[in-house]
Amino acid sequence: MTRAATAINRAARRVPPSLVYVAAVLHICWLFWQGQTGGLGPEPINALERALGETGLKLIVVALAVTPLMRLTRVNLVRFRRALGLTAFLYVTVHLLVWLVLDVGLWSEIWADIVKRPYVTVGMAAFALLVPLAVTSNDRSVRRMGAAAWRRLHRLVYPAALLGAVHFVMIGKTWALEPLVYLGAILALLALRASRGGRDVGDSGIRTGFQTR
């Protein structure tokens, strides 16, 4: 292990994972405050939706990268993975609520948007895959389901991440670079997993993005 990895691991052990949740809540509150005070530009609702969704996608990518990072560099951030996964779900949920309440507003139009707009359909599919992961991201669920079944369920994070990235790409009217970077990063992580024979690598047990230990 390099000195840098040792130093990072030592520093990470002093940081409680609960700070990830606190930082996420404060950031979301700050985004809403920015929207209320004109800090998000002339279209605050669209800017708020984008900021929330993009941050959620970033956190999913980071959570998926924890194990490859540990294998390649010996930097061990596994203790933060559950917090990263759950805060990603928080951002995505608030992103969805902003779209439902502040953007569309009319419940009669929501289903029409889901059916008629492919990027909305893909986004809702990604969210639906994340729901059971968030609900079962606790030690009690691991004990009740058994580790093997729990791991199989939490592999849904991979198609959810891919659909989330595709949703981001489809939102833009042009092939913007930033969404493609996220899509490429997720495809690279999926390819890395496939190169390991479909096995997640890293710590001793639960290894997907919404994992508990």
Side-chain angles (χ1 to χ4, degrees), residues 1-2 4-6 8-9 12-13 61-81 84 189 192 196 200-208 211 213:
M1 185 181 298
T2 66
T6 301
I8 293 172
N9 291 340
R13 284 194 292 270
V61 173
V62 172
L64 290 176
V66 166
T67 292
L69 179 69
M70 181 168 60
R71 183 168 67 86
L72 296 173
T73 69
R74 303 302 182 188
V75 171
N76 188 349
L77 302 177
V78 170
R79 64 195 299 263
F80 298 101
R81 193 157 44 184
L84 289 168
L189 289 167
L192 182 61
R196 303 288 297 181
D200 296 309
V201 296
D203 62 309
S204 61
I206 312 304
R207 299 180 177 95
T208 54
Q211 59 101 49
R213 61 182 180 270

Side-chain angles (χ1 to χ4, degrees), residues 92-111:
V92 172
T93 300
V94 180
H95 165 77
L96 175 61
L97 289 174
V98 169
W99 175 72
L100 290 173
V101 178
L102 300 180
D103 192 350
V104 179
L106 297 175
W107 291 97
S108 59
E109 295 182 7
I110 291 172
W111 180 250

Side-chain angles (χ1 to χ4, degrees), residues 19-34:
L19 284 183
V20 177
Y21 301 111
V22 173
V25 171
L26 290 176
H27 181 234
I28 290 172
C29 291
W30 179 78
L31 286 173
F32 274 95
W33 181 80
Q34 287 284 92

Side-chain angles (χ1 to χ4, degrees), residues 152-168:
R152 286 194 296 271
L153 174 65
H154 277 245
R155 288 175 187 147
L156 289 176
V157 71
Y158 293 103
L162 185 58
L163 287 173
V166 171
H167 168 71
F168 191 18

Side-chain angles (χ1 to χ4, degrees), residues 7 12 18 20 42-43 50 61 82 93 98 119 122 145 150 153 158 165 207:
S18 58
V20 177
E43 297 184 355
R50 181 185 175 94
V61 173
R82 175 204 268 181
T93 300
V98 169
Y119 73 89
V122 171
M145 297 177 62
W150 193 95
L153 174 65
Y158 293 103
R207 299 180 177 95

